Amino acid sequence: MSTMSAFMDQDIKTPKPSGTAKLDATTEAAYAIIDKRVLDRESKTAKLSALRLEKDAVERAANASKSATKLKRKKADPVA
């Protein structure tokens, strides 16, 4: 390796980012994390809401069939 190329390798340095560039990068990373958490929370809420609606519909159907069975029994039973 020649002394000229060794000198050039030492002389070439990457510029250091400025303080505002570091702050901007940190801010962008923080907003990305916040946005991801908001999307995750909204997704989870929607999923739980759908499951709750499905469960309520199943319970209503079960209660309706029980009520219909009780009415049929009352009509059929002259003692009650």
Side-chain angles (χ1 to χ4, degrees):
M1 188 168 188
S2 70
T3 55
M4 185 63 165
S5 65
F7 175 73
M8 289 178 66
D9 288 342
Q10 290 176 355
D11 194 34
I12 299 175
K13 295 181 181 179
T14 57
K16 292 184 179 180
S18 66
T20 56
K22 288 180 184 179
L23 290 174
D24 290 341
T26 302
T27 302
E28 286 180 30
Y31 280 124
I33 292 169
I34 291 168
D35 290 342
K36 182 180 181 317
R37 288 183 179 175
V38 167
L39 289 174
D40 290 346
R41 185 180 64 240
E42 289 174 351
S43 172
K44 183 178 178 180
T45 301
K47 186 187 300 183
L48 290 173
S49 178
L51 288 173
R52 187 178 313 110
L53 290 174
E54 182 180 336
K55 179 184 173 187
D56 289 345
V58 169
E59 287 176 356
R60 276 192 228 115
N63 289 338
S65 67
K66 286 180 185 178
S67 296
T69 305
K70 286 182 181 180
L71 286 176
K72 287 180 185 178
R73 286 183 189 165
K74 284 185 178 181
K75 286 182 181 179
D77 190 13
V79 178

